[in-house]
C-alpha cells in the first residue's frame, strides 16, 4: 500500500507562518529541473507562492539568520536546540558563544528533521526535560549557569 500525503487548504493555511519564515528569513530550497520541462503536470507547484498567499509580501532578508546567530552567541540564555544529524535544515546549526548561558545543544545521530526530546539518548533527554521544567518554574527558581551541553552531555 502506498501512502500519499494530502494537504488541504486548511492544512496549508495553518502552515502559512512556517512557509513565510522559510521564504523571508530561513531560505527555501528551490531546484531547477530543466530536464523535466514539458513533463510536469503542475510546474512550479513547489514554489513559495503555493504556500503563502499573494497578498502577503515575500522579500528574503539574508541577514536575519546571521542576526539571530549573533544574538544566540552573545546573549542567548535558556535555549534548547535538538537537531537531527541528517537534517538539512540544520546544515548550519546555532552554536553557543561566550555570551550563551544555561543552554543545551543536542545532535541526534542518524535522525532527520522530525526529532524531539523523546528521540534523545536517555541521559540527554533527562537533561533537556530537567532544563525545561526548571525554566518553567516546576523545580524551584532557575539558576543561571555559564555552560552548555554538547551531544555527549559533557560540560564545556
Amino acid at each position: 500500500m502506498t501512502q500519499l500525503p494530502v494537504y488541504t487548504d486548511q492544512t496549508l493555511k495553518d502552515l502559512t507562518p512556517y512557509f513565510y519564515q522559510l521564504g523571508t528569513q530561513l531560505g527555501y530550497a528551490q531546484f531547477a529541473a530543466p530536464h523535466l520541462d514539458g513533463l510536469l503536470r503542475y510546474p512550479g507547484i513547489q514554489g513559495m507562492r503555493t504556500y503563502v498567499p499573494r497578498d502577503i509580501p515575500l522579500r528574503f532578508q539574508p541577514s536575519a539568520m546571521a542576526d539571530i546567530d549573533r544574538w544566540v552567541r552573545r546573549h542567548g540564555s535558556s535555549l534548547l536546540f535538538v537537531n537531527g544529524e541528517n537534517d538539512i535544515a540544520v546544515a548550519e546549526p546555532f552554536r553557543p558563544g561566550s555570551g550563551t548561558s544555561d543552554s543545551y545543544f543536542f545532535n541526534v545521530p542518524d535522525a532527520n528533521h522530525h526529532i524531539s526530546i523523546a528521540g534523545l539518548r536517555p541521559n540527554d533527554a533527562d537533561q533537556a526535560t530537567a532544563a525545561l521544567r526548571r525554566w518553567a518554574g516546576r523545580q524551584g527558581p532557575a539558576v543561571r549557569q555559564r555552560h552548555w551541553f554538547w551531544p555527549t552531555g559533557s560540560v564545556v
Side-chain angles (χ1 to χ4, degrees):
M1 176 176 223
T2 303
Q3 292 185 355
L4 178 66
V6 177
Y7 295 101
T8 65
D9 288 345
Q10 184 59 45
T11 302
L12 290 178
K13 183 179 178 188
D14 293 343
L15 294 174
T16 298
Y18 169 75
F19 285 110
Y20 175 81
Q21 188 176 29
L22 279 175
T24 61
Q25 296 176 335
L26 298 172
Y28 179 73
Q30 297 186 42
F31 305 98
H35 60 288
L36 298 177
D37 284 349
L39 300 174
L40 299 176
R41 181 173 286 178
Y42 303 104
I45 191 104
Q46 294 296 323
M48 188 55 59
R49 281 295 172 196
T50 300
Y51 307 106
V52 178
R54 294 203 180 276
D55 61 330
I56 298 174
L58 282 176
R59 185 173 40 88
F60 185 64
Q61 303 162 11
S63 64
M65 296 315 297
D67 184 44
I68 294 168
D69 186 59
R70 274 189 302 278
W71 181 87
V72 167
R73 292 174 193 250
R74 294 177 184 168
H75 310 287
S77 177
S78 303
L79 301 172
L80 175 67
F81 293 92
V82 178
N83 298 318
E85 175 185 47
N86 298 327
D87 181 1
I88 59 169
V90 292
E92 184 64 36
F94 293 112
R95 301 193 189 286
S98 60
T100 308
S101 65
D102 192 19
S103 295
Y104 302 81
F105 296 72
F106 297 104
N107 188 36
V108 182
D110 298 320
N112 60 25
H113 191 68
H114 301 283
I115 192 66
S116 66
I117 291 172
L120 292 171
R121 286 172 255 175
N123 186 46
D124 291 347
D126 290 345
Q127 289 177 0
T129 302
L132 290 173
R133 290 180 59 82
R134 183 169 38 80
W135 296 335
R138 299 293 305 261
Q139 291 184 339
V143 176
R144 285 275 193 211
Q145 300 174 24
R146 298 293 288 171
H147 62 263
W148 45 84
F149 290 87
W150 288 109
T152 60
S154 59
V155 178
V156 178

